[in-house]
Amino acid sequence: MTNSKPLRFAILGTTGHANRIAAPILKQNPGVTLVGAAGSAPGRGTRFAEQHGLSRGYESLEELLADPQVDAVWLCSPNHMHARQVAQCAAAGKHILVEKPLATTRRDADAAAQAVAKAKVTLRVGCQHRFRPSHGHLRELVRSGVVGQIGYFRIHRFWRYPYYEDMGPPNWRQSPTESGGWVINDLGSHLLDLMLWISGAEGQTAGAILASQKFAASTEDSTAVLVKLDKAGIGIMETSCANDSPGSRIEIYGNAGWIRAENTLTGAATILTHDGQSLPFAPVEVMDIYCDEVRDFVGAVRGQLSIGADAMAGAAVAGLIESAVATGVRARAVPAG
């Protein structure tokens, strides 16, 4: 493949995110060609290919990886499969766009990162919210010293389940081993990635509450995580798929000033600063930020500047979540199903 030729993609996964997001995005992006897909069982890849007008339906990941016409794979599989599948793709010389989380443990995430480095392929984790213009501006403000040394970083986002009308029951999200935690990975992984990316800080889990407030699942539907940022900064991440909220909010407080960002994840956004600045941002279409994510990935494969979440960023978030799930306080309003 040269820089003038489209990056040839295949998808692992044939339902949910693969069907709703990955296939439509890849089909409309001029920098890529969607070749085919493989599902979790024989026959699913063929049916998916017929549905989306693709040239190939693979019977397995192994068959997909053996195809020399595939340059990159978008992994849309359950969380606990990601690290192993990343290693398989890397060993086959394929570039990888993997949905978050990179893995359900820091050890597996580090192993995936090592496999990618050894194979010299490109990996990015599906943290598409980095591509919202408001979040890029927040990062620039922090790096310009507007708040000085960060004392507090709070990020808030609720999204009631089902996220989309066609979603069924939580299924594998109910399994602690398969999901590594429900809402803490579904939504919280995005928020923790933004916290670390915008702040530029290293994070360490300092505490967590994982609550089952609405759904009778063995995993949580609401959580708050406390993060130590660098030496003494305090990070607070709160998310829920069980409760209502008027919108999203990011608050950053430091020894030189503050920033408050409203609705950057949920609609028309506004960024306010202590010195009277008020900057509006128009609503961003969800599909547009996925398109930007794919363009960034293609650029990274070609050696261009990338702001996507790499393996190191994915491992950092996986470590925070693993620690929160392992050590956090559990609370339950409904019995587990």
Side-chain angles (χ1 to χ4, degrees):
M1 184 197 70
T2 66
N3 285 358
S4 62
K5 292 183 179 180
L7 191 70
R8 299 168 298 183
F9 257 98
I11 300 171
L12 180 64
T14 54
T15 60
H17 192 82
N19 186 58
R20 185 185 305 109
I21 301 293
I25 289 298
L26 292 175
K27 288 171 68 177
Q28 73 182 54
N29 194 307
V32 305
T33 298
L34 178 54
V35 175
S40 59
R44 290 189 175 183
T46 299
R47 290 193 292 273
F48 187 87
E50 293 172 351
Q51 177 185 352
H52 290 280
L54 310 180
S55 61
R56 294 173 176 84
Y58 304 98
E59 294 298 292
S60 65
L61 175 60
E62 290 74 17
E63 183 180 341
L64 183 160
L65 295 178
D67 187 350
Q69 298 301 310
V70 173
D71 303 311
V73 182
W74 192 335
L75 295 177
C76 302
S77 50
N79 297 351
H80 70 293
M81 298 180 177
H82 289 176
R84 173 174 54 83
Q85 291 170 346
V86 163
Q88 287 179 268
C89 292
K94 311 298 185 184
H95 304 290
I96 307 141
L97 178 57
V98 55
E99 282 308 303
K100 48 74 190 167
L102 175 56
T104 55
T105 69
R106 179 62 191 256
R107 180 178 179 178
D108 284 350
D110 286 340
Q114 291 169 9
V116 167
K118 180 179 179 181
K120 297 181 179 180
V121 297
T122 297
L123 176 138
R124 291 293 182 269
V125 182
C127 297
Q128 72 275 7
H129 296 298
R130 289 190 179 199
F131 300 95
R132 293 180 180 270
S134 54
H135 293 154
H137 187 69
L138 282 173
R139 190 168 186 257
E140 291 173 3
L141 285 175
V142 169
R143 278 157 173 71
S144 72
V146 166
V147 301
Q149 182 176 329
I150 294 177
Y152 280 81
F153 191 117
R154 175 176 174 254
I155 187 165
H156 166 98
R157 165 72 161 122
F158 291 0
W159 190 7
R160 294 192 67 176
Y161 192 90
Y163 312 131
Y164 300 97
E165 291 183 359
D166 62 344
M167 274 187 160
N171 296 327
W172 58 266
R173 294 178 176 87
Q174 297 186 56
S175 167
T177 55
E178 292 187 12
S179 68
W182 179 4
V183 77
I184 198 171
N185 267 312
D186 272 10
L187 306 182
S189 59
H190 284 301
L191 305 188
L192 290 169
D193 176 72
L194 287 174
M195 180 187 291
L196 299 183
W197 183 66
I198 291 171
S199 70
E202 293 186 2
Q204 179 182 341
T205 303
I209 298 176
L210 299 102
S212 298
Q213 299 175 341
K214 179 180 179 181
F215 295 97
S218 298
T219 48
E220 80 298 327
D221 56 37
S222 305
T223 188
V225 178
L226 189 64
V227 180
K228 183 171 78 71
L229 298 173
D230 286 342
K231 292 183 178 180
I234 297 170
I236 303 167
M237 184 279 286
E238 50 198 41
T239 192
S240 174
C241 62
N243 295 288
D244 284 326
S245 173
S248 61
R249 172 176 282 188
I250 299 173
E251 301 170 32
I252 309 170
Y253 303 100
N255 59 3
W258 57 263
I259 305 168
R260 179 171 290 173
E262 302 285 355
N263 299 324
T264 61
L265 285 151
T266 49
T270 304
I271 295 178
L272 306 171
T273 62
H274 67 279
D275 56 3
Q277 295 184 53
S278 177
L279 185 63
F281 289 83
V284 178
E285 295 293 333
V286 170
M287 298 301 270
D288 288 344
I289 59 174
Y290 279 110
C291 283
D292 289 343
E293 177 185 60
V294 170
R295 280 193 289 267
D296 179 270
F297 177 79
V298 173
V301 169
R302 294 172 175 168
Q304 300 168 7
L305 182 66
S306 166
I307 64 167
D310 60 15
M312 184 178 297
V317 171
L320 291 178
I321 292 176
E322 179 188 22
S323 179
V325 169
T327 65
V329 174
R330 294 280 176 174
R332 182 171 292 280
V334 291

